[in-house]
Amino acid sequence: MTPSGDGEGQPTETGRCERRSLLRLVNDRMRVLSRSAGWASEEHWFSFQCECGNTSGCDARVQMSLAEYERLRAGRRSYAVAPGHELPGLEPVLERSERYLVVGTQGPSTF
């Protein structure tokens, strides 16, 4: 058994949480650098990494403005995922957009 799988190739909750935490760090660093550079308007869309936590690798991007990302980032248990990358029955969809979904996690915050 690996930290991100059950030995049969199925991702575990621990693996999804670890991956989501890493992706959130990457996205947050991009947000901080972009905000401090000051070159983008509030409406400019950035290409953030999907935070679905797919442990086999997800390279999908979600298009969000800094304000949209900062709003979801304020919720410690909410993540930006590409449409279709939500996990029905495991996480509620808190917000829907044509460009992204905001999903919530149940249980303790992972970041």
Side-chain angles (χ1 to χ4, degrees):
M1 181 189 263
T2 64
S4 60
D6 65 2
E8 296 178 11
Q10 296 299 313
T12 63
E13 184 62 28
T14 300
R16 280 191 296 273
C17 290
E18 289 170 353
R19 180 142 171 89
R20 276 190 161 155
S21 292
L22 175 63
L23 294 170
R24 182 167 252 192
L25 284 170
V26 170
N27 285 343
D28 201 46
R29 186 66 181 152
M30 186 174 79
R31 177 192 62 85
V32 168
L33 291 172
S34 298
R35 177 66 70 198
S36 65
W39 60 267
S41 71
E42 287 296 315
E43 296 81 32
H44 180 84
W45 291 351
F46 288 84
S47 186
F48 290 98
Q49 177 69 42
C50 176
E51 298 173 343
C52 69
N54 180 339
T55 57
S56 62
C58 171
D59 62 357
R61 302 279 190 235
V62 291
Q63 302 295 312
M64 302 179 82
S65 69
L66 291 178
E68 289 169 328
Y69 187 76
E70 288 170 344
R71 186 179 70 242
L72 95 84
R73 187 69 177 88
R76 293 180 59 85
R77 293 187 180 141
S78 56
Y79 296 87
V81 301
H85 289 220
E86 69 275 19
L87 298 172
L90 292 178
E91 55 192 16
V93 175
L94 306 174
E95 182 180 337
R96 288 185 187 275
S97 162
E98 291 180 7
R99 297 174 279 122
Y100 63 88
L101 301 177
V102 175
V103 298
T105 61
Q106 319 234 338
S109 172
T110 59
F111 186 75

